[in-house]
Structure formats: structure tokens, C-alpha cells
């Protein structure tokens, strides 16, 4: 048995090329004859385009073309699509405005694409872009989400800027539950808008080969196969069989690189139209302006309890900001990936949620690490913590009282999902011990003696990963199936190539998928190569998001490996002169049961390619493909406990201790899992303490368009994390895994904000900046003095 299989702490094989500067990112790719694109972007949030004068730009040195939305329309190029159709509660379809790849007739946010300049050098393209003169008829911006319904119409014919008014749950049962309540806790919260800020900005290279009429797109994508599908079938730039999409090494995505963007489509279109390869690489300010943002919810919610603290019902009303256009998966984020998680880890019998999605003149909003699940967890765990404080109950024990118990699984929630397995008390108990909860009172008293405020906060999250099965999500409006594909191919000498439709952009697939195959097939870890990111080489797949890679993509590879084993048993039976039913496979060997007669997998593979002594009815070769469509979501869960100390004179929050205990099912590589949790924790802490995207309500201008105005977490802002895992195995995939990539970002914001509220005695909104914390402390002091 390999010592680098499932469960081993194997160092990531891909890291060698990254830390030595040998990663191959989109901007590293040099195509012969490539030219450079610079986009002319709208300086206004909302305006009609009266005219676009490109004459001076076209005459500028090095320029080979300047293209506008008028030419896009003239060429019959389609717009970008939203791939998930959500219906309003009255049964009507959501209202989808046009989303052209270059704005035509109207711009709808600062940064909207108006024209593209293509030149021999980047400098020439940038200089020429400044010569494009656009005359606008300015319209009122719509920035304030609470006032968006009464604002100017962003898309003609879409009333009150409303995309949909959606509902989930039993309204009557929930109202009845509230009528029986002994206590009701109500909160109003905002989930602040975020910019994803991946280390590598988006980039694209469009190449058109006139000889073969083939297109190649190199792009920073999390799902190249879906990009190829949308660009061919909906944008209409190329037939699918003549379009190759390559996503090489990608420097982080966090959801923002799932989507199909205008820039990559324009690069492909311009390459054919102008006869040159076209490269575009975003500047960081462009990323702030035009990458899909995340979060941005305003919510009012109420929790009903009986006199003993049992949860009776939950009512939620959320207004979700969609931005100016519906991005690829935008409609599903505040609906099926949000409201379905509002049960959390609790046995609340009645839940009703309404979501109103609105257009505004801001950048589109779509999935960002967690995608709906962080918003649901922040709402629910804030509400539960507030309920505990209002009723004088210990927040840990109130959660324990309402947990779904292990003997209640599978558990049907009131909001559509069926949890297959879990043990929430196990990770709560582990977290309480690791955090030394019993010693908190003493630490709080010691802090008070030093003039500091100390607080502790909890978050018990649950996540739905895998986004499946296809039949279910299809009935809910998803435009594609959400299965995954995997292919395993042995060489004659027994080396193994693994091809996956998912994509790695920091998750470590080249390591973990190799570990899975090492354990499944008994092949040495070092003899396995994982191939991903190229639609020409890999089987069609749905990409990487929603912590689905191992649970869905890894399961597809296991299914393909099982086909290899099944074929191998036939060959081994022939070679060993035994019945196929008597052949066992384990640790890379085919053995005749009850004997020591065996053939290694390498020997069987060699026989498959050199079939001199071979079953007569069997094809030669050893290569298999499998598709895996999950039977259900997977449900990672965990308990996070944050302890903070606050200086009341400055409002500065210091995280003294952060404990995270997660149940991810089977863990393939504990070291990679810990890294994923650490990264997610830092992102969640960033949202809670530092990050916020702001637009000027009068002009619609982005006020946080650079790192001068948008604060990111740094290493000295976070403590050394205490992380651990418990395990309940997923019951419906062959690996027993659940997913880990988003958990840290889901569970950490409410734990931190609850700790701050515990310390200062009042609740504030994210981000908890020193100024905001200090002002809250002063207000509390004033209120106490007034009493």
C-alpha cells in the first residue's frame, strides 16, 4: 500500500513550480504576433451612449483596430447569459436585462465596457484608448439598495429594477409557530459587498487560426468547459468543436473566475475580426471595477422560541443586490444557495424566506467564496447568538439544545434539503475544549484589570457542497447538469495519467487526486500525473466551485478507476488461469482468492497493451472514462469560536484566539485541508474587520477602487489558528468526502462579530473598523450614563 495515499500529509507537488517561479499563468503565455487590448470603460454609472468617436484612436501609432458595441451588434454577437432561471413567487420568470459584451446604447455601471483598442504594444493601446471620445447623456445612478425600486429604470421594460421576488418554505406554518412563541428575537443586518481580489488578475488571449477556422482562448477560468459552452452556444463566437479553451495555472479565483466575462469574449471576437492574436491583462483597478463582486444583502430576520429555548420558527426577508447585469450564476446565490441553508444545524420546524433581487448601477454580483452559504450562516448565527444574550442563555448550550441529533439523520429540513449525516455536538465539544471555554471568564477578568474588553463568539455553520444532483437543480432552473467527468489512462509501462473536468487554482488537485488514485489503484504516487484545464485534453466537466472538486470530480475518477479494476480482473483471471469471480484486487495486486498467485497492476496493464496472451473477447488498452452525478449535496459542518480583546481607547480589535473544528467527512490530505481552512478564515476575518466595497450614492462612482481605500487582511492581523476535524462520512459518494474549500470563509465572520458584540455589549455591522467599534463603545457609555 502506498504511503502517499488517502489520509497522508503529502506536500503539494505543484508547489515546486510555483515557489521557484515556473508557474505558467495566462500572462506568461506568449503567442506569435500577439497584440494588446485595452478597454475603454464608462466613467459614469448610468448613461445613454450618444456617440463614440474612434477616429483619433484608430490613427494612433501601432493601433490595428478600435471596436465598439455597434460593431458587436452589427456582427450579430450574442450577449452574456445568466445560467440559472429563478421564478418569482407568482410563477413569473425572472427579469433578465441584456448584457452585451460591449455596451450598446447604454452603460449601467462605472467600468462598463464601451470599446476596445487593439495595438502592437500595451502602451500604444493604452495611449490610443485615451483618444476615444464618448458622448453620454447621463442618467441618475441607482446605488442604494433600499431605494433601488424607486430609482431610475436600469433596464428598459423591467419595472422597479426587480429581477425576482422569490420565496421558500411554509409561510402559514411559520406564522403559526410565531403565534405560539414565548420569545422572538429580531435583527436587521447587512452583509457587506466584497471584491474577490485574487492574487492573479483576470487575463485572456484570443487566437483565431484562419487556416483551420479554429479559435483558442487562454483564460483565467475556474471552469473552461462551461466557458467554451457559453461562448459557443450563447455568445455565438465559434462552433463548440472549433473552440479550445485553456485555463493554465490560475492564481486564485474564490468564485470570481467561474463566470464568463466580456473581456475574454471580446478578445476572441477581435482576434478574428482584426486577424491578430489579442491579449488582455487586467490592471488591479479594473479588477475592482469589473470583476464580479460578492455578498451585498440587506436582511431582516426573526427567530421564535418557546419558554425552554427550543426554536419554533424562522422568518427571513432579504434584499439582494444583483448589480447592473445578471452574471453567470448570480440568480442562484441569494436563493437556492442561501435560503436552503437557513435551517443550519438546527431542528427548527418552520422556516419561511423571501428574497427580492434588484438591479443597481454597480458591478455585477455573483458567487464569492461560499456563495450564499456565508450569507445564510452570518444571518442565522448572528440571530442565534442574539437570542442567547436576550434570554440569558449560554450561546453554546442554546445551540446544543437545538442541534439535530445523530439518530435523526437523514434529516429533512423545512427548506428543501435532506442532510445525510452529521454529529454537531462532536465538533462543538471539541471546539469548546480546544478553545478552553471554561477558562474564558478568568481571561475576561484579567483583561478588564488591564483596561481591555474581552469577548467570545460562536458560529456553528453548515454548508451544502457539490451542487447536485442534476435532475434536482435542473428542476430548480439550472441551465446545465452538474455532474463531473474523469478519465484514467495507463501507459504501457504502468504510469498513470488522470484527466479531470474540474480545475485547480490553488486547491491542490495535482496532489489530492494523485493520492486518491494511489490508494484506489495501488500505483506509486510519483507515477501519477493529473491533467486539467484544457478542453482539448480533458473530458467535458463542470469545473471547480462550491467545494465540489473532490466530492464530485474525485468521485468520477474513482468510478473510472473501478472500470479499470473490473477490466483488470478479466485480464488477470486469464493470465492466472482462474475464474474472474475468484480474483480480488487490493494494494495494486490482482490475486486469486485464497492463494498467493497474483499479478501486479503493472503486469496486467502491460498485458492489456501487449495482448499476446489475452482474453479473446476483450479490447486491448487500459483507459476508462466515467461520469459522476451525485445523489445529493454533501454537508460539511463545524463549530468556530473566536476570542477577541479590544482597546476601548482606540477601538482596535485584536483576535487573541480562533478555534475551528470542522467535519469534512473523510480527509484525503490533512495538510492541504488545514491550508484551505486557514485561507478561508483569513478571508472571513477580512470581511468582518476590514473589507467593504462602497459606491458614492450621488454619482455611482466606486469609492474603494484600490488598495489605498480597500483594506485587506495581513498576516499580523490574525493569530495562529487552532484547527481540528471530527468525522462523519458522507453516505452517498465513494470517497466519503464532503468538501473543505469554503468553510473558513463561511464560519468565521459571525464568530468574530459575535465576539465583538460580547466584548462591547452591542452589535455593529461589518466591517468592524476601529472607528466603528470606538463609536459603539462611546454610545454604550453614554446610554449607561443617561440611565
Amino acid at each position: 500500500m502506498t504511503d502517499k495515499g488517502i489520509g497522508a500529509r503529502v506536500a503539494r507537488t505543484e508547489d515546486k513550480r510555483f515557489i521557484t517561479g515556473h508557474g505558467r499563468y495566462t500572462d506568461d503565455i506568449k503567442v506569435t504576433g500577439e497584440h494588446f487590448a485595452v478597454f475603454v470603460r464608462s466613467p459614469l454609472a448610468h448613461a445613454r451612449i450618444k456617440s463614440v468617436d474612434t477616429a483619433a484612436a484608430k490613427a494612433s501609432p501601432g493601433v490595428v483596430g478600435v471596436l465598439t458595441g455597434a460593431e458587436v451588434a452589427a456582427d450579430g454577437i450574442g450577449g452574456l447569459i445568466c445560467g440559472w432561471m429563478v421564478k418569482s413567487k407568482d410563477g413569473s420568470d425572472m427579469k433578465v436585462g441584456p448584457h452585451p459584451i460591449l455596451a450598446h446604447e447604454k452603460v449601467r455601471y462605472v467600468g462598463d465596457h464601451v470599446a476596445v483598442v487593439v495595438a502592437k504594444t500595451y502602451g500604444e493601446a493604452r495611449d490610443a484608448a485615451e483618444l476615444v471620445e464618448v458622448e453620454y447623456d447621463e442618467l441618475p445612478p441607482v446605488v442604494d439598495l433600499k431605494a433601488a425600486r424607486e430609482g431610475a429604470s436600469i433596464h428598459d421594460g423591467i419595472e422597479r429594477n426587480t429581477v425576482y421576488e422569490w420565496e421558500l418554505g411554509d409561510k402559514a406554518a411559520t406564522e403559526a409557530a410565531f403565534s405560539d412563541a414565548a420569545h422572538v428575537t429580531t435583527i436587521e443586518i447587512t452583509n457587506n459587498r466584497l471584491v474577490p481580489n485574487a492574487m492573479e488578475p483576470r487575463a485572456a488571449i484570443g487566437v483565431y487560426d484562419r487556416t483551420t477556422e479554429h479559435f483558442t482562448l487562454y483564460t483565467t477560468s475556474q471552469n473552461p468547459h462551461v466557458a467554451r459552452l457559453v461562448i459557443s452556444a450563447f455568445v455565438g463566437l465559434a462552433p463548440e468543436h472549433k473552440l479550445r479553451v485553456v485555463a493554465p495555472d490560475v492564481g486564485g479565483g474564490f468564485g470570481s473566475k467561474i463566470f464568463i466575462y466580456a473581456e475574454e469574449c471580446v478578445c476572441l471576437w477581435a482576434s478574428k475580426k482584426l486577424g491578430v492574436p489579442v491579449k488582455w491583462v487586467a490592471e488591479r483597478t479594473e479588477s475592482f471595477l469589473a470583476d464580479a463582486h460578492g455578498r451585498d444583502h440587506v436582511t431582516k430576520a426573526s427567530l421564535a422560541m418557546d419558554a425552554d429555548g427550543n426554536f419554533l420558527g424562522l422568518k427571513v426577508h432579504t434584499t439582494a443586490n444583483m448589480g447592473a447585469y445578471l452574471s453567470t450564476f448570480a440568480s442562484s446565490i441569494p436563493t437556492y444557495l442561501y435560503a436552503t441553508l437557513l435551517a443550519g444545524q438546527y431542528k427548527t420546524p418552520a422556516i419561511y424566506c423571501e428574497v427580492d433581487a434588484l438591479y443597481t448601477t454597480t458591478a455585477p454580483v455573483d458567487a464569492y467564496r461560499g456563495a450564499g452559504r456565508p450569507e445564510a450562516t452570518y444571518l442565522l448565527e448572528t440571530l442565534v447568538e442574539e437570542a442567547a444574550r436576550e434570554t440569558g442563555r449560554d450561546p453554546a448550550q442554546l445551540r446544543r439544545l437545538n442541534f439535530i441529533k445523530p439518530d435523526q439523520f437523514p434529516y429533512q429540513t423545512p427548506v428543501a434539503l435532506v442532510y445525510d449525516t452529521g454529529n454537531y455536538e462532536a465538533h462543538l465539544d471539541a471546539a469548546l475544549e480546544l478553545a478552553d471555554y471554561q477558562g474564558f471568564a478568568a481571561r475576561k477578568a484579567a483583561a478588564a484589570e488591564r483596561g481591555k474588553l474581552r469577548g467570545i463568539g460562536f458560529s456553528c455553520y453548515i454548508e451544502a457542497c457539490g451542487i447536485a444532483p442534476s435532475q434536482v437543480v435542473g428542476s430548480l432552473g439550472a441551465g446545465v447538469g452538474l455532474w463531473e467527468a474523469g478519465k484514467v489512462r495507463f501507459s504501457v509501462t504502468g504510469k498513470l495519467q488522470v484527466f479531470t473536468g474540474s480545475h485547480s487554482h490553488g486547491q491542490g488537485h495535482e496532489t489530492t487526486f494523485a493520492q486518491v488514485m494511489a490508494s484506489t489503484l495501488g500505483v506509486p504516487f510519483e507515477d501519477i500525473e493529473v491533467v486539467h484545464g484544457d478542453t482539448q485534453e480533458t473530458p467535458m466537466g463542470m469545473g471547480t466551485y462550491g467545494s465540489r472538486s473532490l466530492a464530485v470530480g474525485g468521485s468520477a475518477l474513482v468510478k473510472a478507476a473501478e472500470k479499470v479494476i473490473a477490466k483488470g480482473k478479466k485480464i488477470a483471471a486469464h493470465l492466472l488461469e482462474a475464474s474472474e469471480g475468484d480474483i480480488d484486487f487490493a494494494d495494486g495486486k490482482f490475486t486469486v482468492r485464497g492463494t498467493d498467485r497474483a499479478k501486479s497492476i503493472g503486469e496486467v496493464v502491460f498485458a492489456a497493451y501487449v495482448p499476446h496472451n489475452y482474453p479473446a473477447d476483450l479490447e486491448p488498452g487500459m483507459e476508462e472514462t466515467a461520469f459522476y452525478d451525485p445523489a445529493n449535496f454533501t454537508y460539511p459542518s463545524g463549530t468556530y469560536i473566536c476570542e477577541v480583546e479590544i482597546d476601548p481607547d482606540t477601538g482596535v480589535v485584536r483576535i487573541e484566539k480562533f478555534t475551528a473544528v470542522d467535519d469534512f467527512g473523510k480527509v484525503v490530505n490533512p495538510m492541504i485541508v488545514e491550508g484551505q481552512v486557514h485561507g478561508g478564515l483569513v478571508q472571513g476575518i477580512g470581511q468582518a474587520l476590514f473589507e467593504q466595497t462602497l459606491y458614492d450614492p450621488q454619482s455611482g462612482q466606486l469609492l474603494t477602487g484600490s488598495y489605498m481605500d480597500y483594506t485587506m487582511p495581513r498576516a499580523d492581523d490574525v493569530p495562529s489558528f487552532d484547527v481540528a476535524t471530527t468525522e462523519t462520512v458522507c453516505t452517498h459518494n465513494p470517497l466519503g468526502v464532503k468538501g473543505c474549500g469554503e468553510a473558513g470563509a463561511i464560519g468565521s465572520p459571525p464568530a468574530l462579530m459575535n465576539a465583538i458584540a460580547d466584548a462591547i455589549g452591542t452589535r455593529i455591522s461589518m466591517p468592524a473598523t476601529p472607528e466603528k467599534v470606538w463609536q459603539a463603545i462611546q454610545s454604550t457609555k453614554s446610554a449607561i450614563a443617561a440611565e
Side-chain angles (χ1 to χ4, degrees), residues 753-777:
M753 295 303 293
N754 286 337
I756 293 171
D758 183 50
I760 67 176
T762 189
R763 190 164 296 282
I764 60 174
S765 61
M766 297 189 290
T769 60
E771 179 187 10
K772 195 183 294 183
V773 173
W774 183 86
Q775 288 179 340
I777 293 170

Side-chain angles (χ1 to χ4, degrees), residues 279-294:
K279 173 185 276 191
W280 169 78
V281 179
E283 294 184 347
R284 184 58 66 177
T285 295
E286 284 185 288
S287 298
F288 277 95
L289 285 170
D291 284 6
H293 294 175

